[in-house]
Amino acid sequence: MGVVNVTPDSFSDGGAYDSPEQAAEAARLMLAAGAAVVDVGGESTRPGAEPVSPDDELRRVLPVLELLGGLPVSVDTSRAEVARRSLALGAVMINDVTALRRDPDVAGVVADAGADLCLMHMQGEPRTMQAAPHYEDVVSEVASFLEERLSYAVAAGVPEERIGLDPGIGFGKTPDQNLELVRRLDRIVGIGRPVLVGLSRKSTLARVTGGSGARVATDAASVGAAVAAFDRGASLFRVHDVRLHVEALAVAASVERGSVEP
Ligand code: HH2
């Protein structure tokens, strides 16, 4: 999954695209490089980010989707209105980082469209989530949350086979808690749905490679983390540099199979 943030303030690529045409071109290049889907987002969820108005989110996202008609697009939104209009323009998946808590109507919209849905764990909300993350056991709490949200989504009409789960790396977690979630990812994988991870360029990896001041991780660090998550059962990877991840994960998968041929 390639990341296309159409936000001025995303932590890693904020303001990268001046126009919908530039964002759409970046998305096409990611798909050509092997991405299965591109994730278009109009509201930053970086730590400290303020919410944007629904109108601003629509104004950022819809023009990009209009240019990408027919291509596999996911939309990173937690608002039913944005989801509904995005799916009407051909989006195939909604990536809801609030796991249907901000706007429960997202479930019905996804169900009606027959689309895919990603449910992500977050403790708190982006504005304050990194203030004081606290867990007794981060892995079992995240897993229980995702199990509950999965049941909720299914009860609201989204078929289970359409749902993926995401531990929410960096969303109300310390660096050590993020690493622990990847280390024990088998607990989340054991829920029985495909697991998506977003590790690309996140500050936890920058802490490992660059000391305490580093904020944005390198792509080499990101690829290393993705392969570690793959080895523990992750099957979807939300990444900025698609080509590097496709090559690295293709090799990791070939080792898993013991065969060059897929
Ligand atoms: N991470 C970000 C945004 N959306 N969605 C899922 N499912 N999983 C993630 O880990 C995830 C996500 C944050 O990264 P980015 O999009 O690069 O930055 P921002 O939130 O500032 O737009």
Side-chain angles (χ1 to χ4, degrees):
M1 171 185 275
V3 179
V4 181
N5 286 316
V6 281
T7 52
D9 56 346
S10 288
F11 81 95
S12 57
D13 62 350
Y17 314 118
D18 285 338
S19 65
E21 286 75 16
Q22 282 183 16
E25 182 56 17
R28 282 190 208 99
L29 290 172
M30 289 178 191
L31 292 165
V37 64
V38 286
D39 191 39
V40 177
E43 180 174 48
S44 175
T45 48
R46 78 180 152 74
E50 297 285 344
V52 300
S53 73
D55 282 350
D56 280 346
E57 193 183 348
L58 287 165
R59 255 194 299 276
R60 290 173 182 179
V61 169
L62 297 187
V64 182
L65 266 57
E66 275 161 11
L67 292 166
L68 291 175
L71 295 174
V73 176
S74 156
V75 176
D76 190 340
T77 188
S78 49
R79 288 189 168 115
E81 177 65 4
V82 179
R84 191 180 60 74
R85 296 188 53 185
S86 300
L87 294 166
L89 284 171
V92 296
M93 174 172 176
I94 297 299
N95 171 24
D96 183 352
V97 298
T98 76
L100 309 175
R101 291 177 298 162
R102 185 194 205 180
D103 186 347
D105 291 345
V106 168
V109 168
V110 169
D112 287 348
D116 291 327
L117 175 66
C118 179
L119 300 172
M120 195 195 80
H121 175 271
M122 174 179 352
Q123 186 180 82
E125 46 154 343
R127 206 166 45 77
T128 53
M129 66 190 175
Q130 289 309 110
H134 178 76
Y135 303 85
E136 294 299 323
D137 174 354
V138 66
V139 176
S140 53
E141 286 171 52
V142 168
S144 299
F145 171 90
L146 292 173
E147 282 164 346
E148 189 277 322
R149 291 285 88 196
L150 174 63
S151 300
Y152 178 93
V154 170
V158 184
E160 185 163 343
E161 60 273 19
R162 291 257 169 226
I163 302 173
L165 304 175
D166 183 339
I169 300 299
F171 287 86
K173 286 124 189 153
T174 65
D176 285 354
Q177 288 163 351
N178 289 322
L179 295 170
E180 181 70 0
L181 276 165
V182 180
R183 188 172 80 89
R184 292 170 51 204
L185 200 67
D186 60 322
R187 171 68 181 89
I188 315 276
V189 172
I191 298 172
R193 300 303 315 142
V195 171
L196 185 151
V197 286
L199 287 152
S200 181
R201 298 185 182 166
K202 287 201 174 157
S203 62
T204 291
L205 313 182
R207 289 283 297 276
V208 174
T209 57
S212 58
R215 302 261 327 265
V216 180
T218 61
D219 288 319
S222 306
V223 166
V227 171
F230 170 84
D231 280 341
R232 290 160 178 78
S235 47
L236 283 155
F237 305 84
R238 188 178 179 279
V239 308
H240 298 87
D241 190 314
V242 170
R243 187 174 301 281
L244 284 182
H245 282 83
V246 166
E247 288 185 1
L249 291 164
V251 171
S254 74
V255 171
E256 186 86 11
R257 292 189 304 272
S259 151
V260 169
E261 297 304 325

